[in-house]
Amino acid sequence: MSDTSEFTPEAVEAYFTRASGDYVFARWGRPIAPVVFGVADDSLSVIKGSIEAAVAIAGAEMAETDPELGSNLMMFFFSDWKELLDVPNMGDMIPDLEMRVQMLIDRNAHQYRAFRFDDEGAIKACFTFVRMGGAMDEVPADVIALSQATQALLLWSDTTFTQDSPLALTEAGTVIRPDVANVLRASYDPVLPSAARDASHALRLYARLIAG
């Protein structure tokens, strides 16, 4: 594990404390079965490779299919948020779809994620949407996919990564930031619960981070 001096109990807690002040942690409670829409065939293997890399760093599991949902991590790439309105059954996945699309247009957003949870509160599905265009077209597919996979592996706070990317540029290329990678690994410790709503959970994460 890399240097953990940047971690404090408060810093760890902040990763999962929402703007409302609520502490909400969730990781996947089942193997991740990804599917990608809206990309060329030559980008598909690159994107799936980035997803596999992020999952491996976390210590989560992957599968070809999910017995309940078929695919449970769905990534959609498109150029206009209004395209979501034309996707069959999208309204079943995203409640209040028209209102949500208008909100994303108003915010000029480039990404959006919607999670679904099992009865224990663990993640059972994540729908990830990436709007390409402008500066996004200059970002390599593997970098976009690595960022999106990292953000889909945990229910991070809605204030985390709003200003800073979860990735870092190194001599070897773009990687998941060391602090983020460490939090991912600690979060998938099988001893810890898959979901938590008490901030004392952050202390258990912190203990694993500094024990490194």
Side-chain angles (χ1 to χ4, degrees), residues 84-98 116:
L84 288 182
L85 301 175
D86 298 325
V87 178
N89 304 316
M90 184 60 69
D92 296 333
M93 292 188 280
I94 309 296
D96 302 316
L97 180 61
E98 290 191 15
R116 296 291 178 270

Side-chain angles (χ1 to χ4, degrees), residues 26-188:
R27 71 185 185 205
W28 285 78
R30 61 182 64 193
I32 298 168
V35 64
V36 181
F37 301 96
V39 299
D41 291 343
D42 57 349
S43 296
L44 189 58
S45 61
V46 173
I47 292 172
K48 286 194 171 181
S50 294
I51 295 171
E52 291 170 358
V55 170
I57 286 172
E61 298 179 53
M62 291 192 71
E64 288 296 322
T65 59
D66 178 86
E68 179 183 352
L69 303 169
S71 297
N72 53 29
L73 174 56
M74 300 183 186
M75 284 192 179
F76 298 84
F77 293 81
F78 48 87
S79 59
D80 191 317
W81 286 116
K82 291 182 179 179
E83 293 179 39
L84 288 182
L85 301 175
D86 298 325
V87 178
N89 304 316
M90 184 60 69
D92 296 333
M93 292 188 280
I94 309 296
D96 302 316
L97 180 61
E98 290 191 15
M99 182 182 70
R100 185 70 56 183
V101 165
Q102 189 57 54
M103 179 198 72
L104 293 167
I105 292 172
D106 293 343
R107 292 182 179 179
N108 193 32
H110 279 282
Q111 59 180 311
Y112 176 69
R113 275 170 301 283
F115 290 90
R116 296 291 178 270
F117 305 93
D118 63 22
D119 292 340
E120 304 300 319
I123 299 170
K124 74 173 184 179
C126 177
F127 309 106
T128 295
F129 306 94
V130 180
R131 180 176 68 85
M132 301 303 292
M136 288 290 287
D137 289 341
E138 305 301 319
V139 182
D142 60 328
V143 174
I144 294 175
L146 187 61
S147 174
Q148 295 302 324
T150 301
Q151 294 178 77
L153 279 168
L154 294 172
L155 185 64
W156 302 94
S157 164
D158 52 351
T159 62
T160 301
F161 308 134
T162 55
Q163 302 296 324
D164 300 315
S165 169
L167 308 183
L169 183 61
T170 70
E171 292 182 358
T174 302
V175 300
I176 299 175
R177 270 173 25 203
D179 60 314
V180 174
N182 289 337
V183 172
L184 280 171
R185 294 188 190 97
S187 295
Y188 276 86

